[in-house]
Amino acid sequence: MKIRLLILFFLFVQFIETMQGISWFKRYLDNFHTVEKGKLYRSKQLSARKLKKYLKKYGIKSVINLRGMNRYAPWWQREFK
């Protein structure tokens, strides 16, 4: 039974790695979606690298943080320097 689970896990990881090369799947993993084309987009908390990529690709000029203030969290300090 443990070997079957290990094999299934390995196949799942291979599937994810393969799908990450497909742009629509990357957007799905980032939870990046168009709300109104050319005007409004939404996503999960993105890494700095991914955020820069989406800003450039879609011409986004403003980002609104809806997670609230958390002055001592590392992600908050990086974003609000």
Side-chain angles (χ1 to χ4, degrees), residues 18-29:
T18 301
M19 294 305 286
Q20 285 180 345
I22 301 173
S23 63
W24 66 265
F25 192 73
K26 283 183 180 178
R27 288 196 330 261
Y28 178 76
L29 287 178

Side-chain angles (χ1 to χ4, degrees), residues 6 15 20 25-27 36-37 48 58 60 66 72 74:
L6 187 59
F15 171 76
Q20 285 180 345
F25 192 73
K26 283 183 180 178
R27 288 196 330 261
E36 188 173 339
K37 190 174 182 176
Y58 292 94
I60 297 169
L66 299 176
Y72 304 106

